[in-house]
Amino acid sequence: MKSLKLISSALAMLFSILTFGQEITITGTVTDQTDGSVLPAVSVTIKGTKTTTLTDFNGNYSIQAQKGKILVCSYIGYQTKEVKIGNSKVINISLQSNSSSLQEIVVVGYGNNHKGKLYSAKAVAYEKKNLNKVALNQHTRTTAMVMPAKAKAESITEPLQIYGNTNPININPPLPNTPNQEDYETFVENQFETPKNAPLSTFSIDVDNASYTNIRRFINNGQAVPKDAVRIEEMMNFFKYNYPQPKENHPFSINTEYSDCPWNSKHQLLKIGLQGKNIPTENLPASNLVFLIDVSGSMSDPNKLPLLKQSMKILVNELRKEDKVAMVVYAGAAGMVLPPTSGDQKQTIIDALDNLNAGGSTAGGAGIELAYRTAIANFIKGGNNRVILATDGDFNVGTSSNKDMETLIEEKRKSGVFLTCLGYGMGNYKDSKMEILANKGNGNYAYIDNIQEANRFLGKEFKGSMFAIAKDVKIQIEFNPKHVQAYRLIGYENRKLRPEDFKNDAIDAGELGSGHTVTALYEIIPTGIDSDYSVSDLKYTNTTINKESYSNELATIKFRYKKPDGDKSIEMVKVIDNKSVPLNNSSADFKFTTAVAWFGLKLKDSNLVPNKETEKIKNLAKEGLSNDEDGYKAEFIRLIETVK
């Protein structure tokens, strides 16, 4: 018997030695310690390693780890918890809310002398049933508020105040409504270059059109348009052109046209147009969307949060049963107010939108972190995974500088989640931040100045705005020195790339949506023309080519793109003939997009445009007025007349 015990002990010891250091699968559920509700998108990490995972919608997680290691469980708004891995392969974890020790607060709405109801910390904590969350930040003494409908103070006409520890905090301070509070990126207009000195012109496509709607807002309000607010490529790409659908396996067709330059009779213009493949709605992949909504105090104006709510309802109406939506809000902190919900539960989603109220400072970085974690936790392989950020761009708490935001969003881009930025408001609008987020985050960007624009971008152009058919689309063009003395790209200043970036798949570029059109213009000084903008030849560099070679070619243009879920780019090549047509014989699309660019150059007061006559710009736009079912091009002509 004693021998058997010794043998058993030896076997147990041997098994322990053999299994020590081996990884096992640990599973479990993470819940709220107060009410037992499950917590999605919680980060579960093996301490001291890069091994990490997120809980799914039901709060479940699974991770590979060794016995004796430490699980670190962290979640915004909760205390971080560490648990040692023992013999059990199932480890359930409950987290304590950071707000559990907060005292009672009272919300007072002034106007009709109605007083809000008292709420304890437990009452204002996240409750999945009511789809609401109040996140309180004691350090900054600010409050992000999403009040239950039954607790709203009635007929509030004055700023709300929060009372905590007897000290009132105004969460809706009055905002300045002056244009000089707005922020735009400064850039220098593209200059002429010679093919001998700079043989390659490389840039990323841009499907954004926020600049045009923002310019329209300034003009309609009778205000001067800031020069840095004018991005000509976004003006041109606001409008749809009659380009043919792609016929091959590539996701877009390539179209070029070469004609006269209307503002300088000595010069020519080359138009390059891309037409994205139009995918039928029934063939679109399922969507995993996260609405990331700014509910800070700066969003209280009527053209911000109220317009935002109505805008998002338009998007909700486009959703299908197979789509799902989660909703994250941020102010002084960030929180989830709607867990992933099927697209056919429209009233549930709309009710969550209706319950949003503005108040507090703006922790944009925390909101982005939580939104991406939620999107990743519910990732649909082969689907449309996207965060939709709606804000005035005024990030002023936490990660707030433009460089910090750029670093953050570049890191999130690696997740495979796309980004759509929707800008609202005026006076303190931060266009520069919105542009950075969209450019660096596999995204697009629209400025919503009224409900008609919301209906256009989120309703009529829903497929192009929300479903990418190609990503990291780059263009590289090589002009033939035999026919081109000098060239310049009109617009795309903040989308230019280095020549070596073209084949580098690690370099980010623009995304193309279903049915999207993209247009670019080059102004060209033909060889032999005596122009005020000509570039002098270099003395020591000889880049002459065989005059007989490529004699009929104006340029060779190359495109590279990736599939939405791909990592390796695909190249397309097209040769452009040196065949110009008079402006009168050019297409309506050529005339109209040229008029739009001309108007943008006038607004920027370009020193490369000798003729800025408003009447001539308007007449050219009228000649190009076609394919205008919704009247956007006619509206543009009225804007020209207003500026005159």
Side-chain angles (χ1 to χ4, degrees), residues 155-166:
S155 305
I156 296 174
T157 57
E158 295 292 324
L160 288 175
Q161 289 188 342
I162 297 296
Y163 284 86
N165 298 332
T166 72

Side-chain angles (χ1 to χ4, degrees), residues 189 227 232 262-264 488 533 595 597-618 640 643-644:
E189 182 181 10
K227 292 181 181 180
I232 294 174
W263 57 80
N264 192 323
R488 78 179 186 105
Y533 309 103
W598 196 357
F599 185 58
L601 292 167
K602 174 184 173 67
L603 292 176
K604 291 186 73 68
D605 194 24
S606 170
N607 59 8
L608 299 176
V609 178
N611 185 343
K612 301 186 183 75
E613 294 181 41
T614 302
E615 196 67 24
K616 290 189 176 181
I617 299 174
K618 184 184 74 172
I640 299 174
V643 170
K644 181 182 66 172

Side-chain angles (χ1 to χ4, degrees), residues 65-104:
Q66 298 173 5
K67 182 180 176 181
K69 292 290 186 179
I70 305 294
L71 288 180
V72 180
C73 200
S74 59
Y75 192 53
I76 293 177
Y78 288 80
Q79 298 174 13
T80 298
K81 190 170 185 177
E82 296 186 358
V83 179
K84 188 174 183 179
I85 300 172
N87 293 322
S88 177
K89 294 182 180 181
V90 178
I91 302 177
N92 296 321
I93 303 170
S94 60
L95 297 183
Q96 176 67 50
S97 171
N98 280 333
S99 63
S100 61
S101 62
L102 293 180
Q103 299 179 8
E104 290 187 339

Side-chain angles (χ1 to χ4, degrees), residues 196 480-483 527 544-552:
K196 296 179 181 179
N480 185 352
K482 177 179 173 65
H483 301 295
T527 302
T544 59
I545 64 171
N546 187 339
K547 296 288 185 180
E548 300 303 319
S549 302
Y550 319 112
S551 59
N552 295 323

Side-chain angles (χ1 to χ4, degrees), residues 46 55 106 113 132 162 183 186 242 253 303 361 404 408 462 475 479 506 599 603 612:
I46 307 301
T55 58
V106 60
N113 295 323
N132 296 292
I162 297 296
D183 185 27
T186 300
N242 191 28
S253 66
N303 62 356
S361 52
D404 286 342
L408 173 62
F462 168 74
I475 299 177
F479 288 101
F599 185 58
L603 292 176
K612 301 186 183 75

Side-chain angles (χ1 to χ4, degrees), residues 47-63:
K47 189 173 183 178
T49 73
K50 295 182 179 180
T51 304
T52 187
T53 188
L54 295 174
T55 58
D56 62 17
F57 172 54
N58 296 312
N60 299 321
Y61 73 92
S62 176
I63 195 168

